[in-house]
Amino acid sequence: MSTHFSFDQLVSLLGRSENDPVVRNFFGHEISNIHRDEYYGSLEFKPEGVDVVFEEAPWVVPSEKITDPKVLYVAAFHLHREGHEGFAGYSGQLPNGVALGDSETELLRRMGEHIRRGGGGTSSVLKRPIPRWFWFAVGEAILHVQLDPKGLIDMATLQTPEIKLG
């Protein structure tokens, strides 16, 4: 696929329906390859270091804007560092000069105050470490930045804000 995944363009796609002409034009024929599983869908672009998460309307758009609850909406873009989960590195620019592979210190220096943080420790269910992460506001969107065990950014997820359900 020849689509260039510029960060600003990705922001503009968040919250849009799979049927939106802008979304269909951006993904081209790939839109027909959405892998659907229950309430979610996904597309992978490993050579570009990007995977896309689609979710049904109730998790992405306010209830008053829902016309068909089964339609998928663009909910998030995972932007991977080279080699993370078998992806090539995302080559687009992240906000404020942040780069995949930056340290936690550099991330916080460049992005400023986070709106939420979490992770760390070990999952009792999965029996593996839980990555540390930070959320930053990027306009109306959220940039969720995940750190590897060495404290370096291995993935950034651009996502829609949380919708409070019923």
Side-chain angles (χ1 to χ4, degrees):
M1 176 173 187
S2 61
T3 300
H4 176 69
F5 291 94
S6 76
F7 192 84
D8 289 339
Q9 193 163 29
L10 300 182
V11 169
S12 74
L13 295 171
L14 285 173
R16 290 180 179 260
S17 159
E18 65 183 311
N19 299 321
D20 185 307
V22 173
V23 170
R24 296 188 84 67
N25 183 55
F26 182 81
F27 290 110
H29 73 279
E30 290 292 329
I31 197 76
S32 63
N33 296 329
I34 293 176
H35 176 261
R36 180 117 187 193
D37 182 22
E38 295 286 330
Y39 310 107
Y40 303 94
S42 62
L43 285 173
E44 285 189 346
F45 302 95
K46 287 200 174 214
E48 289 88 357
V50 176
D51 67 288
V52 188
V53 177
F54 295 84
E55 294 181 355
E56 286 185 354
W59 286 273
V60 182
V61 296
S63 59
E64 65 273 8
K65 293 185 179 181
I66 297 172
T67 56
D68 181 348
K70 296 296 182 189
V71 170
L72 293 174
Y73 288 79
V74 178
F77 292 93
H78 297 300
L79 312 172
H80 299 268
R81 183 177 73 197
E82 180 71 37
H84 181 254
E85 297 182 0
F87 283 80
Y90 172 69
S91 63
Q93 300 295 310
L94 297 176
N96 302 337
V98 169
L100 296 169
D102 279 354
S103 68
E104 177 180 335
T105 302
E106 189 65 15
L107 168 67
L108 296 174
R109 184 181 75 74
R110 291 182 182 269
M111 290 300 294
E113 190 64 34
H114 57 273
I115 56 175
R116 191 181 289 176
R117 70 179 184 179
T122 303
S123 167
S124 59
V125 175
L126 300 175
K127 307 290 188 221
R128 63 182 171 115
I130 300 168
R132 288 178 25 83
W133 54 266
F134 294 90
W135 277 14
F136 300 95
V138 177
E140 296 294 314
I142 294 169
L143 183 64
H144 174 125
V145 180
Q146 176 180 297
L147 305 173
D148 70 11
K150 295 178 182 175
L152 304 176
I153 301 171
D154 63 4
M155 184 172 69
T157 301
L158 178 64
Q159 63 191 57
T160 56
E162 293 182 304
I163 298 292
K164 304 294 185 216
L165 299 175

